[in-house]
Amino acid sequence: MTAYVEPSFERDTNYIDDRITKDSPTWPVEPGRYRLVVSRACPWASRLTTVRRLLGLEDAISLGVCGPTHDADSWTFDLDPGGLDPVLKMPRLKDAFENRQPGYPRGITVPALVDLPTRSVVTNDFPQMDIDLIEQWDAFHRDGAPDLYPQALRAEMDPVMKRIYTEVNNGVYRCGFAGEQPAYDAAYDRLFTALDWLEERLTDRRYLVGDHITLADVRLFTTLVRFDPVYHGHFKCNRAKLIEFPALWAYARDLFQTPGFGDTVDFEQIKRHYYVVHSDINPTGIVPKGPDLSGWMTPHGRESLGGSAFGDGTAPGAIAEGERVDPADNPAVGPDGVLHRSN
């Protein structure tokens, strides 16, 4: 019997949409109370990892990191000693969802914010979570933290971010999980129409909106950094590689070399997740050795377009030792967790 395959991909967005806010009687902003659970493989989780680092929220919200692979049941803490998250003392993220709702019926997803006193999930609603880190946790931002969602730019930012989400972030999945040729063809055309638009937009401006990095750049970067290692081949997004888009490739390198972006990227975990977990697309489970990653730290030349990464702010400080990416998984990262330019 042949398994039924959906002709076109539709993302399940039925998340736990509770929020941690300043005035919430249930989930108030409270440093030390919550743990952000991510996987470095997941682009949606990477958004939160980057925003947390850029804003300097490491002391306010702790970080739990799941391994890059999971089964149909849950993400697991297999990177930690004994396979247990050292703070939550649980082997699977599913346990935190079950603590919130026994028999939890929906997907176990990262990123998730977990309440430490009850060891239960508060929210996995990633589209709202990064905005709340910006707006609700501002009392705990580091000195010099950038304004990632400026009020004066929101009228321009919001439609840009919406198009990035629907056409690029989700567009690569629409290609990869298409179950019929017409659905794939349509998804492919939509994706590259959007990438062509971004290539043109970024030809004469350094950042997507304004003259310093914003949340729009964070949300686009997490897809761009996965494009050549995963989406180009695995998801059949193969009209062109990222390195074949002059402006987009230079823009991506500019962001990658900015503290908070490239120093949180784990290329090996990214590849292992997609090529191992998606057994319907890659039944052999073979993880490709490529692509060559040496170009990520080469000069990008974007300084000539003006602007600066952090505007009137400053770069985040050093990454805590326990949160550093393994240099074996990102050749641009040194043992100290700092990005080092290619020779």
Side-chain angles (χ1 to χ4, degrees):
M1 179 180 294
T2 302
Y4 175 72
V5 178
E6 293 289 343
S8 59
F9 171 73
E10 297 292 337
R11 181 170 298 282
D12 179 3
T13 57
N14 195 6
Y15 303 114
I16 299 174
D17 60 1
D18 284 13
R19 296 174 58 197
I20 298 169
T21 62
K22 298 173 184 178
D23 58 358
S24 171
T26 307
W27 309 118
V29 168
E30 184 180 321
R33 176 170 173 175
Y34 306 100
R35 188 160 177 81
L36 175 63
V37 177
V38 302
S39 168
R40 296 194 186 277
C42 172
W44 318 111
S46 292
R47 284 168 35 164
L48 272 295
T49 305
T50 294
V51 168
R52 171 181 173 270
R53 172 151 163 68
L54 291 174
L55 298 179
L57 288 170
E58 292 92 337
D59 291 337
I61 304 172
S62 66
L63 186 71
V65 182
C66 297
T69 62
H70 59 79
D71 55 26
D73 202 27
S74 182
W75 294 87
T76 58
F77 295 103
D78 51 286
L79 300 177
D80 293 308
L84 293 176
D85 179 273
V87 174
L88 296 172
K89 304 299 183 184
M90 57 181 59
R92 307 170 73 84
L93 181 57
K94 181 179 181 179
D95 296 338
F97 281 80
E98 292 283 342
N99 288 343
R100 173 67 187 268
Q101 180 182 344
Y104 182 77
R106 303 197 292 272
I108 309 298
T109 65
V110 290
L113 277 162
V114 179
D115 176 54
L116 295 183
T118 60
R119 298 169 69 242
S120 64
V121 168
V122 176
T123 181
N124 62 337
D125 185 14
F126 73 86
Q128 184 63 47
M129 289 165 67
D130 53 9
I131 292 177
D132 282 347
L133 291 188
I134 295 167
E135 295 185 329
Q136 301 298 322
W137 289 81
D138 56 320
F140 303 98
H141 291 179
R142 65 179 176 86
D143 291 339
D147 185 354
L148 296 177
Y149 196 31
Q151 284 283 354
L153 296 179
R154 291 186 184 186
E156 183 180 1
M157 280 183 67
D158 288 346
V160 168
M161 291 195 297
K162 181 177 180 180
R163 187 172 183 184
I164 287 169
Y165 172 72
T166 60
E167 304 304 299
V168 181
N169 300 149
N170 211 36
V172 292
Y173 285 87
R174 199 180 293 114
C175 290
F177 290 112
E180 294 180 355
Q181 190 69 47
Y184 165 76
D185 291 347
Y188 177 100
D189 291 342
R190 284 180 63 178
L191 171 64
F192 282 97
T193 294
L195 291 175
D196 288 339
W197 162 68
L198 288 165
E199 174 72 10
E200 181 178 0
R201 183 180 182 90
L202 290 165
T203 295
D204 58 2
R205 64 174 74 196
R206 188 169 181 183
Y207 303 106
L208 279 168
V209 182
D211 59 3
H212 65 80
I213 56 171
T214 65
L215 187 57
D217 300 298
V218 176
R219 291 182 173 188
L220 177 58
F221 174 79
T222 60
T223 295
L224 295 183
V225 80
R226 289 163 173 77
F227 200 87
D228 287 3
V230 175
Y231 303 142
H232 179 270
H234 184 59
F235 277 178
K236 306 180 185 69
C237 303
N238 62 353
R239 195 197 79 185
K241 296 177 181 177
L242 175 64
I243 61 173
E244 295 167 342
F245 286 91
L248 273 173
W249 173 224
Y251 164 82
R253 298 199 318 276
D254 189 2
L255 292 180
F256 184 90
Q257 295 169 31
T258 300
F261 287 83
D263 53 17
T264 66
V265 173
D266 191 308
F267 286 110
E268 289 304 310
Q269 289 194 29
I270 288 169
K271 291 195 298 183
R272 183 164 178 78
H273 169 73
Y274 285 92
Y275 285 101
V276 172
V277 171
H278 299 158
S279 57
D280 50 342
I281 299 176
N282 185 42
T284 65
I286 293 174
V287 180
K289 294 182 69 174
D292 180 4
L293 302 171
S294 61
W296 278 100
M297 289 300 288
T298 57
H300 51 75
R302 301 280 291 179
E303 302 92 344
S304 64
L305 296 175
S308 61
F310 300 103
D312 295 331
T314 59
I319 297 181
E321 185 174 353
E323 296 188 7
R324 294 174 186 169
V325 172
D326 187 338
D329 294 349
N330 182 340
V333 174
D336 55 359
V338 176
L339 293 167
H340 296 280
R341 188 177 293 280
S342 303
N343 294 326

